[in-house]
Amino acid sequence: MEHVNYKVAIDCDPAATDLKQVIFEHLKEKGVHITDLNYMGEGFYLYPDIGYHLAKKIKDREFDRGILLCGTGLGMAIVANKVEGVYAGVCHDVYSAERLCKSNNAQVITLGARVVGPELAKKIVDAWLLSEFEGKGSLPKVNRMHELEHESFHTEEQTCESI
Ligand code: RB5
């Protein structure tokens, strides 16, 4: 994957440590610039803390893309989407992994170690890393999503304060 220049971060909760190692080594072998954040090594074991920690680094542009792994991929996706400007989706098939970038322009992919095996997971992350946002018909939809996100993060807060 020589033409993949993204800085990629990966992390997991206790349910996905083996899968994280498999994916980390797989991408490292392919020459991808990947960093294992290993937030569990700092004493954080709950997926919300681990997912939020990685998503903040995407928001702060320390990394271009992120891979988050837990038992199902669901909790990690939900928490990563709580960070403004970060978009995450669960992908357990190659087609969805491609569309996550091409259509949705999401920076974070999540997978469940209790859902997919290591070989399929490798194919999924490969497809995801080789995909980029296509723009075109997806652009107005992604832009609208950003507008709604801005409203949700900012306008409703002001409304609550003014009550
Ligand atoms: C285990 O904590 C499990 O809930 C977690 O790994 C993940 O599947 C949550 O969505």
Side-chain angles (χ1 to χ4, degrees), residues 12-16 45-48 69-78 111-115:
C12 72
D13 80 350
Y45 295 95
L46 302 182
Y47 73 78
L69 311 167
C70 61
T72 60
L74 298 169
M76 287 294 196
I78 292 167
L111 293 96
R114 295 172 182 158
V115 183

Side-chain angles (χ1 to χ4, degrees), residues 3-18:
H3 58 293
V4 172
N5 293 319
Y6 302 118
K7 285 176 72 180
V8 180
I10 189 168
D11 213 346
C12 72
D13 80 350
T17 48
D18 290 349

Side-chain angles (χ1 to χ4, degrees), residues 68-124:
L68 282 169
L69 311 167
C70 61
T72 60
L74 298 169
M76 287 294 196
I78 292 167
V79 74
N81 280 306
K82 301 290 177 214
V83 176
E84 190 176 13
V86 176
Y87 309 100
V90 189
C91 294
H92 291 135
D93 65 276
V94 167
Y95 178 73
S96 300
E98 288 176 359
R99 296 325 307 179
L100 184 67
C101 299
K102 291 182 176 181
S103 302
N104 307 112
N105 201 18
Q107 315 98 319
V108 176
I109 189 170
T110 74
L111 293 96
R114 295 172 182 158
V115 183
V116 283
E119 294 309 315
L120 177 56
K122 286 192 250 179
K123 289 198 182 315
I124 289 168

Side-chain angles (χ1 to χ4, degrees), residues 113-142:
R114 295 172 182 158
V115 183
V116 283
E119 294 309 315
L120 177 56
K122 286 192 250 179
K123 289 198 182 315
I124 289 168
V125 295
D126 285 353
W128 168 74
L129 267 181
L130 290 169
S131 302
E132 288 183 14
F133 185 50
E134 286 179 339
K136 297 184 287 189
S138 297
L139 189 59
K141 299 165 198 165
V142 166

